[in-house]
Amino acid sequence: MTFRPASHYINDSLHIDADILVSALPYFDYIDGVLHIDGVSSLELAKQYGTPSYVYSQRAILDNYQAYSRAFASLDHQICYAVKTNSNLAVLKSLAQIGAGFDIVSKGELARVLQVTDGKKVVYSGVGKTADDIEYALNADICCFNVEAVSELDTISQVATRLNKTARISLRINPDVDAKTHPYISTGLKSNKFGISHQAAVQAYLHAKQLPYLQIVGIDCHIGSQLIDIQGFSDALDKLIELIDELKSHGIHLEHIDLGGGLGVRYIDENPASVDDFAKLLLPRLRKLGLKLYLEPGRSLLANAGVLLSRVDVLKPTEFKNFAIIDASMSELIRPALYEAVMAIIPTDTRNAREIHTWDIVGSVCESSDFLGKDRACGLQVGDILAITGAGAYGFSMACNYNSRPRPCEVMVDDGSHRLIRKRESLADLWRDEII
Ligand code: PLP
C-alpha cells in the first residue's frame, strides 16, 4: 500500500494508488486502463457531458441504502436519507422508490422531497425553524419535527393550534459526547448549537406535554459526521436510554428513537466501521428498548457512489511548488477548503506512463484556500481528466457560483447506461434572477 495517513499530508507527498483505491469502490473499475463507472467509461462521460461534472452510480447508492435495511432488519426501523448530502431529485426519487424516508433541515429540502414523494416519512431537523417553515411542514403531514429548542415547541404548538393539526414531535438531545471528528462537523458537544442539552431535556418534555396540539413521539440525536470511531454512537445511545427511562417515570412513553446519521466513509486510508459493525454495536440495546428506530445517514450512502470529473487546464511548476490548475475548484467542491478534507484525486486514464512529480491540485478561484489536493505525487499532463472520488456527498449540494462559475452538471449511471440528471448551468443562469 502506498497510502500515507491522511492527517499527515501537509508538506508530505501523498501518493494514492488508484488501483487499490478503486478496487475498494463497488461499481468503479479500471477496464483496460480507463476508469469505468458501472460499466461506462469516464472518458466517454467527460467527452459527452464536459467537465467539471458530477457522476453518480445509482446501483452504488441503492446498495448502500440496502446495507442499512439488511443490518437493521430484525428491528422495526425507518432509514431517513439526509437530503442535504445530495439533494438531486433523481437521487431522492431512486431512494424513495426503495422505501427511504428523508431527513430534512429546511423548507427547500422538504419542497424537493415533495417533488418525488409525500411527506409521511419525513423527519424535520434544523436549529432555526420559523413559523412559516413549520406551517409548510404541517401542511405536508410530515412524520415528525426533531425539535432543537424549547422555544421551538411553543412555535410549533401555536402554528399547529392555528391550523387545527396535531404536530408529532421528538426532541433532539445534545448528549455532550465527543464524536472525534472535524470540529466543523461535530454536533453533539455542549459547545455546539445543536439540540437541547441532556440536563434540560426532561423539563423540555414536560413543557411539551402541556402544550396543545403536540404529540410527543420520539427522542433524537445526531452527534456529527464522518465518524470513524463508533464509540460516540454507543455513548449517545446510553445517554438517550437514561432519558427514556426517566421520561417513563413522568408518564411520557415514546414510540421511536432516532440516532441521526454520521457513519464515516473511506476517502483515502480511513478505516470506518461498516454498517454491520454499527448495527452489531447498537442492536442489543435497541431490541431491549422496543422502540422503532430511525436513522438519518447521508455521507455513507452517497460519498463513494460519486466522483467529480475534472480536466487539467494549466501546469505551473514553480521554484517552491508545482501547481496543477484544474477546471473544478472550491466553488464546485468545498470540502478540502472548508474542512481540510483530504480527498483522493485519481487518473481516469492510466494507459500512458507519466513522470511523477509532486503537485498541488488547485482550482482557478481567486483564493489561496482554493485547493482540491495538496502535495500529491502523480503524473499529469494538460488535458488529462481526473476523478475526485468520494464526491457524491456534500459535493454538488455545497457548490456555489463564487467567481461567477456556472455549477457543473450531474449525471447518473446505472448498469451501463447514463443520463443527465441536472444540466450544467449556463452563463445566463448566473444572472437569471438579477434586476438591473
Ligand atoms: N442528520 C442530521 C440532523 C444532520 O445534520 C446530518 C449531517 O450533518 C445528517 C443527518 C447526515 O450525516 P451524515 O452525512 O454524516 O450521515
Side-chain angles (χ1 to χ4, degrees):
M1 281 264 250
T2 43
F3 295 137
R4 301 276 183 84
S7 53
H8 296 159
Y9 74 101
I10 289 172
N11 296 328
D12 184 9
S13 97
L14 178 69
H15 179 70
I16 290 163
D17 187 319
D19 276 323
I20 293 175
L21 191 119
V22 166
S23 67
L25 295 180
Y27 301 105
F28 291 79
D29 287 298
Y30 282 105
I31 301 177
D32 297 330
V34 174
L35 181 67
H36 280 62
I37 303 163
D38 200 3
V40 180
S41 156
S42 56
L43 291 176
E44 287 302 318
L45 291 168
K47 201 155 131 197
Q48 179 164 342
Y49 298 103
T51 55
S53 49
Y54 278 98
V55 182
Y56 314 120
S57 156
Q58 179 154 314
R59 292 206 292 176
I61 298 170
L62 300 185
D63 282 6
N64 291 338
Y65 176 90
Q66 301 289 13
Y68 275 92
S69 301
R70 269 197 311 277
F72 289 96
S74 62
L75 203 68
D76 185 16
H77 74 274
Q78 177 64 56
I79 311 294
C80 292
Y81 166 64
V83 173
K84 64 168 76 70
T85 315
N86 181 325
S87 41
N88 186 291
L89 295 183
V91 171
L92 302 184
K93 182 157 191 194
S94 61
L95 285 167
Q97 278 171 339
I98 58 165
F102 297 95
D103 164 58
I104 58 151
V105 291
S106 71
K107 188 175 167 182
E109 287 188 350
L110 176 53
R112 282 184 171 275
V113 171
L114 296 178
Q115 299 301 305
V116 301
T117 184
D118 60 41
K120 290 199 176 60
K121 290 185 189 165
V122 169
V123 296
Y124 189 173
S125 308
V127 288
K129 302 179 194 80
T130 65
D132 182 51
D133 297 334
I134 292 163
E135 180 167 345
Y136 188 69
L138 279 171
N139 283 330
D141 279 330
I142 65 161
C143 164
C144 181
F145 290 89
N146 287 339
V147 175
E148 304 232 14
V150 175
S151 65
E152 189 185 321
L153 288 170
D154 298 319
T155 315
I156 296 176
S157 171
Q158 283 155 16
V159 178
T161 304
R162 176 163 53 78
L163 298 179
N164 194 23
K165 281 179 181 275
T166 299
R168 292 163 53 85
I169 58 130
S170 168
L171 298 198
R172 177 170 175 181
I173 306 304
N174 182 324
D176 193 27
V177 299
D178 188 359
K180 299 194 175 67
T181 187
H182 189 281
Y184 288 5
I185 46 175
S186 163
T187 55
L189 285 170
K190 61 180 176 220
S191 54
N192 301 136
K193 67 180 173 185
F194 300 97
I196 295 170
S197 78
H198 187 253
Q199 289 76 11
V202 172
Q203 275 310 315
Y205 272 102
L206 291 172
H207 180 63
K209 196 178 169 193
Q210 44 87 35
L211 289 173
Y213 285 89
L214 295 191
Q215 183 189 355
I216 299 172
V217 290
I219 191 163
D220 164 52
C221 73
H222 168 76
I223 60 171
S225 199
Q226 183 58 2
L227 270 65
I228 299 298
D229 177 350
I230 52 176
Q231 185 57 38
F233 288 112
S234 180
D235 297 344
L237 175 58
D238 284 341
K239 292 223 172 168
L240 261 47
I241 291 172
E242 265 173 38
L243 281 175
I244 292 165
D245 288 340
E246 206 179 330
L247 290 172
K248 276 185 200 152
S249 69
H250 291 281
I252 297 174
H253 298 274
L254 305 180
E255 294 171 18
H256 79 245
I257 180 170
D258 180 340
L259 293 177
L263 204 59
V265 301
R266 170 176 277 207
Y267 284 106
I268 303 276
D269 60 353
E270 302 88 339
N271 242 331
S274 66
V275 178
D276 287 335
D277 295 337
F278 173 65
K280 246 182 242 153
L281 178 74
L282 305 178
L283 271 174
R285 277 169 286 171
L286 290 170
R287 276 201 205 99
K288 237 173 158 179
L289 262 184
L291 301 182
K292 180 167 180 174
L293 173 69
Y294 282 71
L295 292 172
E296 304 167 358
R299 187 188 308 270
S300 49
L301 303 190
L302 260 293
N304 280 323
V307 293
L308 176 58
L309 298 178
S310 180
R311 187 188 59 228
V312 177
D313 280 338
V314 177
L315 292 179
K316 185 174 164 182
T318 76
E319 273 172 74
F320 302 106
K321 278 231 169 230
N322 300 320
F323 294 101
I325 300 159
I326 65 175
D327 66 1
S329 72
M330 66 187 287
S331 293
E332 293 77 32
L333 181 61
I334 202 174
R335 296 191 65 256
L338 185 61
Y339 310 123
E340 297 171 301
V342 183
M343 302 184 69
I345 306 175
I346 58 171
T348 56
D349 186 349
T350 61
R351 287 172 297 186
N352 301 313
R354 295 272 169 73
E355 221 177 287
I356 303 287
H357 296 285
T358 299
W359 298 95
D360 272 13
I361 300 176
V362 302
S364 55
V365 163
C366 300
E367 299 285 338
S368 292
S369 58
D370 177 25
F371 61 90
L372 284 311
K374 284 196 173 171
D375 295 310
R376 300 300 172 91
C378 52
L380 296 178
Q381 257 180 29
V382 169
D384 282 356
I385 305 294
L386 302 176
I388 305 176
T389 60
Y394 305 108
F396 187 92
S397 64
M398 295 180 87
C400 69
N401 294 118
Y402 185 46
N403 276 205
S404 285
R405 296 168 63 88
R407 285 181 295 172
C409 62
E410 293 175 285
V411 176
M412 186 71 88
V413 178
D414 186 19
D415 196 11
S417 67
H418 49 93
R419 67 187 201 280
L420 192 63
I421 57 169
R422 185 182 167 108
K423 283 195 283 189
R424 181 179 304 287
E425 284 179 346
S426 67
L427 288 177
D429 287 333
L430 293 172
W431 57 82
R432 190 185 50 210
D433 299 320
E434 294 172 22
I435 299 159
I436 297 179

